[in-house]
Amino acid sequence: MTFTQSLNNQILRGWILLRIETDDICTETWTSYIFDPYQELYIWLGQIRDLQLPAKMIIDKEGREVELIAESLSDLLVQFRVEPWMSARNTTTRLNITVERCELLKAFHDGIIKFIQDEYQPSQWSYIDNLSNTNWGALLQPNNSSGQNWQTRLAMYGGGHSRVPETGRETVWNQLTLKQQWLVTLHDVLLWIANLAANGQIREVYAVVSLYKNLPIDIALGELDASWYEQRKIELYQQYELRENSITRRTIHNRSRLAKARLETLKLGQIIDGSIIKIKPYGVFVDIGGYYALLHISAISQQPVEHPEKVFQIGDWIRAIIISMDVERGRVSLSTSDLETEPGDMLKDPLIVYEKAEEMAARYYQNVLSKLQ
């Protein structure tokens, strides 16, 4: 396993290339800061160590995602595969080997540690450093008798692309004690503060810190008054017009330059993957890799949508199609309604829409051509 950070290419600046090489085959994929996979990679490797198999994780790479899959063959051996994910055009398995669990764990561990020591530049990756601030060495230590509940950790991170509802965050949340819930809340608040600071919202940073700075002490002393925090949060959020959201993965280098370069790579009818960064009554804004595009409320579904918040949350992963572009004004409009097989699919199960996105995009493109002829 080797990791390489891109520094020169405008579009892939800061992205990290994961390369997996065996005696017979080699495969590689870019990992994007928009969908930072390294928290989930840590969990995936932990599941392998503790024999919580099969273990699966997705690495997003616009329109060409891959899935890492590990299945148990014995206490010592696993089958390790790299397969396309949500790609109707390419269903060929990219890698399929039998390997010892310990050998697979050590290969990933050694590759990451070498990368951090020799090449990694966190400032080119994200405001949140999930590589060097993760205890990768713990994966090489023997697990305890019960093993860690990696699915719970995954749910708390909001990972897994919501593919397993029974291990989703809402379900797991109800299984936590009140203290545990507030500790997870504190985790989210720290990410939120980083996001506010990255956007230069210092006044809002002070407001949030002033509310939550005593929370760890209250928890430690067993004096947590949850109702007071909830009420004070509402008052403070109204005063400063705050809305909780997940951190937007961004690099520190000039964003306007990145946005312009990104715009030049887009085209009508293109399938894109992105992350919801802002929700308004008229639609949602999507970070599609250095550029913010609009998904209007009328383009979410072929059935009426009361409010975008009924469908999306900040930080949600989304797949959409580009239906209009204004290069001069720097505007890109998206649609998910054009990817629906049946009206209302986006309201019932967006993942079904995303899985068939390529097929529906091809139909959309043919319809556009027929109208032009």
Side-chain angles (χ1 to χ4, degrees):
M1 309 290 174
T2 58
F3 296 79
T4 305
Q5 190 164 18
S6 174
L7 299 176
N8 299 320
N9 187 294
Q10 284 183 314
I11 302 304
L12 297 180
R13 184 179 175 86
W15 287 28
I16 297 173
L17 180 69
L18 166 60
R19 180 183 176 92
I20 305 172
E21 188 172 351
T22 71
D23 292 337
D24 304 315
I25 196 170
C26 174
T27 186
E28 55 187 27
T29 186
W30 288 102
T31 64
S32 164
Y33 61 85
I34 301 301
F35 297 102
D36 182 349
Y38 291 99
Q39 284 184 325
E40 290 201 30
L41 179 62
Y42 181 80
I43 293 170
W44 181 75
L45 292 171
Q47 290 177 302
I48 295 173
R49 186 199 67 176
D50 293 350
L51 273 175
Q52 297 178 13
L53 302 173
K56 301 179 179 181
M57 72 160 289
I58 296 159
I59 295 180
D60 289 282
K61 187 184 67 170
E62 189 173 278
R64 298 178 182 177
E65 293 80 359
V66 298
E67 186 170 32
L68 306 186
I69 302 172
E71 296 182 333
S72 178
L73 298 178
S74 69
D75 287 346
L76 295 177
L77 299 177
V78 296
Q79 182 185 52
F80 173 44
R81 303 197 306 276
V82 179
E83 296 187 347
W85 186 68
M86 284 195 179
S87 177
R89 298 178 184 177
N90 183 7
T91 59
T92 304
T93 297
R94 296 172 60 173
L95 181 71
N96 188 347
I97 61 171
T98 297
V99 60
E100 291 187 11
R101 282 191 305 118
C102 293
E103 183 181 351
L104 183 62
L105 289 170
K106 192 172 188 306
F108 270 98
H109 170 272
D110 291 353
I112 291 173
I113 297 303
K114 186 177 189 320
F115 171 66
I116 292 173
Q117 293 174 344
D118 297 347
E119 186 177 344
Y120 184 40
Q121 297 186 28
S123 63
Q124 298 294 334
W125 172 253
S126 169
Y127 284 106
I128 297 297
D129 179 3
N130 281 328
L131 272 87
S132 49
N133 287 329
T134 297
N135 185 8
W136 299 101
L139 296 171
L140 299 184
Q141 299 173 6
N143 63 308
N144 56 39
S145 57
S146 60
Q148 296 188 42
N149 193 333
W150 295 103
Q151 285 291 348
T152 299
R153 181 183 285 260
L154 181 64
M156 292 299 96
Y157 283 153
H161 289 71
S162 302
R163 294 186 304 167
V164 189
E166 62 269 21
T167 59
R169 186 163 189 171
E170 289 185 7
T171 301
V172 173
W173 183 268
N174 295 327
Q175 300 170 3
L176 301 179
T177 66
L178 181 62
K179 290 182 179 180
Q180 289 173 329
Q181 290 177 355
W182 278 96
L183 286 172
V184 174
T185 296
L186 186 58
H187 163 272
D188 295 343
V189 167
L190 289 172
L191 294 181
W192 185 27
I193 289 173
N195 192 36
L196 291 172
N199 289 320
Q201 297 172 266
I202 304 303
R203 176 172 169 266
E204 289 80 0
V205 168
Y206 288 148
V208 176
V209 171
S210 69
L211 172 59
Y212 290 104
K213 65 180 181 179
N214 291 325
L215 178 60
I217 297 175
D218 289 343
I219 293 175
L221 298 178
E223 299 175 357
L224 174 64
D225 186 344
S227 61
W228 181 87
Y229 273 101
E230 290 287 359
Q231 181 59 39
R232 181 60 187 141
K233 181 179 73 172
I234 293 173
E235 296 170 355
L236 199 66
Y237 287 12
Q238 290 176 345
Q239 179 182 349
Y240 289 90
E241 297 183 348
L242 294 171
R243 178 190 292 273
E244 288 181 283
N245 65 50
S246 302
I247 186 167
T248 302
R249 304 293 180 187
R250 307 188 306 172
T251 54
I252 294 175
H253 62 274
N254 190 297
R255 189 173 185 85
S256 62
R257 182 181 177 186
L258 176 63
K260 181 179 179 181
R262 175 62 170 141
L263 186 60
E264 294 174 353
T265 71
L266 304 176
K267 61 183 180 180
L268 288 175
Q270 180 177 341
I271 294 293
I272 60 89
D273 292 335
S275 178
I276 304 292
I277 61 160
K278 188 180 297 185
I279 299 178
K280 296 290 186 179
Y282 56 83
V284 300
F285 288 91
V286 183
D287 188 334
I288 57 174
Y291 193 86
Y292 295 163
L294 173 65
L295 173 60
H296 194 269
I297 187 171
S298 63
I300 293 176
S301 175
Q302 296 173 38
Q303 288 189 354
V305 177
E306 180 181 347
H307 194 287
E309 287 183 334
K310 299 289 185 179
V311 185
F312 302 109
Q313 295 181 2
I314 297 293
D316 277 357
W317 166 72
I318 183 175
R319 172 167 285 186
I321 186 172
I322 298 176
I323 56 172
S324 70
M325 293 181 61
D326 187 336
V327 177
E328 293 296 325
R329 302 171 70 181
R331 295 183 178 178
V332 176
S333 296
L334 307 176
S335 171
T336 51
S337 64
D338 287 294
L339 300 178
E340 288 183 321
T341 303
E342 299 291 338
D345 280 349
M346 276 297 298
L347 309 182
K348 300 172 187 175
D349 190 349
L351 278 180
I352 293 178
V353 178
Y354 302 159
E355 287 172 355
K356 298 182 179 179
E358 289 186 333
E359 176 185 345
M360 298 305 295
R363 294 185 188 181
Y364 173 86
Y365 186 70
Q366 290 300 320
N367 290 335
V368 172
L369 288 180
S370 63
K371 292 178 181 178
L372 294 176
Q373 294 174 350

